[in-house]
Amino acid sequence: MSNLDLKPQPSICGGRDGVSAQPVRELLTGKQVPLGESTVVRRLLPNLGRRMVGAWCFVDHYGPDDIESEPGMRVAPHPHIGLQTVSWLHDGFVEHRDSLGTVQTVRPRELGLMTAGRAIAHAEQSPASHGKWLHGAQLWVALPDAHRFTDPAFEHHAELPRVQGQGVDATLILGSLDGATSPGHVFSPLMGADLTLAAGANARLPLHPDFEYAALAMTGAAVVDDVCVEPGSLLYLGCGRRELPLRADDGPASVLLLGGEPFEEKLVMWWNFVARTHEDIEAAREAWMHGTAFGTVHGYDGAPIPAPELPPLRLKPRGRER
Ligand code: MN
């Protein structure tokens, strides 16, 4: 998915100063951002309060939207560098096309993992014939400096490991939880899991005390460490936890749990690019506008998305956090 903000502001993120070393419970609400022609998403990361959770650097929640008489998702070809994208659905299908020639339909609770590395372009859309509902999350993972120029790649994993118990059914998106590990290729210590809570669930999930975590509520009224988290909200949990209490007191609920080792490197994020300097961003923008480096996405009915104007201020990765 693309950041379709017409005037995207640069975000400086990463580094220890943005990380809570202790357990905390910070409830973050999303900023409403128009996406494509007919969708509004809630942007949870970057947020004014928090920029990253481990290497997770971008979290959008969308839906459930009734798209029965709408085209649904239509995100035209656009570029990425320096990150991985995860398309994660609870309802509806997404057709992914990229400049490697990949054409892949991603279905609910299947992993579509795109590694941009040095450069990739892709498009995403609801199939022409689609069901009533579209509901999901778009997640980005920042690549560490040692891997940010890696070869672009796309992985699709229809079957993912699950762990079940105490009323929780967990599907591993990336990394590990309670002995289960996703086949998705990651470049730094991190995890993501989709948690379905049965009505009345009362569970404690094992966590890694060196990781920081956050929980994104998808449906129902999940109670995460005694905080009721409404769908579309993100509860930042900090580091230093060995377990996470989870309950579903008022019916079934679902939550995405995201975590990882705090990301030590400072990043510059702008539009669809994750880099280290203003010059990196400028070069990627120029390459996209001149049709070089990113390749071509075939089979999407529509023109590629032009890059927005770069703001005049210089992006300083060593600058203040806020
Ligand atoms: Mn994208």
Side-chain angles (χ1 to χ4, degrees):
M1 199 173 280
S2 176
N3 182 351
L4 290 186
D5 198 334
L6 290 177
K7 290 185 179 172
Q9 291 305 302
S11 173
I12 310 297
C13 44
R16 276 273 169 187
D17 37 354
V19 177
S20 172
Q22 303 302 320
V24 292
R25 298 182 294 187
E26 285 178 16
L27 195 54
L28 305 173
T29 52
K31 176 190 168 197
Q32 303 257 345
V33 180
L35 180 90
E37 291 140 29
S38 60
T39 316
V40 170
V41 304
R42 285 160 295 283
R43 178 144 313 146
L44 283 314
L45 287 183
N47 198 297
L48 277 180
R50 290 284 161 195
R51 299 294 169 88
M52 294 180 81
V53 176
W56 299 100
C57 61
F58 185 96
V59 174
D60 271 355
H61 173 257
Y62 52 90
D65 291 325
D66 180 349
I67 60 166
E68 195 159 35
S69 53
E70 311 260 346
M73 182 185 292
R74 276 188 59 77
V75 183
H78 61 277
H80 289 288
I81 63 167
L83 55 82
Q84 294 178 288
T85 67
V86 174
S87 291
W88 191 257
L89 292 161
H90 273 194
D91 268 306
F93 293 179
V94 169
E95 284 176 2
H96 162 98
R97 288 182 173 77
D98 65 40
S99 49
L100 303 173
T102 312
V103 179
Q104 179 66 56
T105 300
V106 180
R107 298 171 184 81
R109 293 184 173 82
E110 296 181 353
L111 175 61
L113 175 64
M114 185 178 80
T115 301
R118 61 179 173 273
I120 202 167
H122 73 149
E124 289 164 299
Q125 62 185 325
S126 302
S129 167
H130 55 253
K132 185 176 173 68
W133 297 105
L134 179 64
H135 183 204
Q138 172 73 9
L139 312 165
W140 296 358
V141 174
L143 292 175
D145 199 42
H147 298 288
R148 67 188 178 108
F149 299 111
T150 194
D151 291 342
F154 183 82
E155 295 169 48
H156 175 244
H157 300 282
E159 294 294 326
L160 294 167
R162 285 160 68 178
V163 281
Q164 289 154 302
Q166 303 170 309
V168 177
D169 184 343
T171 302
L172 267 296
I173 303 170
L174 289 177
S176 300
L177 177 72
D178 204 11
T181 301
S182 163
H185 187 186
V186 294
F187 296 84
S188 65
L190 63 94
M191 65 78 63
D194 183 295
L195 312 175
T196 300
L197 283 63
N202 188 352
R204 302 182 89 83
L205 287 189
L207 299 187
H208 196 311
D210 295 336
F211 278 17
E212 62 179 335
Y213 289 91
L216 169 65
M218 297 292 288
T219 55
V223 180
V224 182
D225 193 18
D226 288 327
V227 180
C228 185
V229 189
E230 299 289 332
S233 297
L234 185 79
L235 184 69
Y236 176 75
L237 296 159
C239 303
R241 293 171 181 270
R242 294 192 176 276
E243 56 179 22
L244 183 65
L246 278 175
R247 299 197 321 268
D249 300 339
D250 300 319
S254 60
V255 169
L256 300 189
L257 179 67
L258 306 175
E261 201 169 79
F263 200 83
E264 302 274 357
E265 298 167 17
K266 288 274 191 180
L267 304 175
V268 177
M269 267 180 73
W270 178 78
W271 193 41
N272 295 311
F273 304 140
V274 171
R276 298 300 182 279
T277 66
H278 181 95
E279 288 72 23
D280 293 342
I281 298 280
E282 216 165 30
R285 184 185 180 282
E286 287 297 304
W288 176 246
M289 292 308 279
H290 291 104
T292 57
F294 290 96
T296 304
V297 179
H298 296 284
Y300 183 86
D301 178 21
I305 302 173
E309 289 298 318
L310 251 181
L313 68 141
R314 295 193 70 75
L315 315 172
K316 292 183 193 146
R318 302 282 166 197
R320 287 176 59 85
E321 291 261 331
R322 299 178 203 175

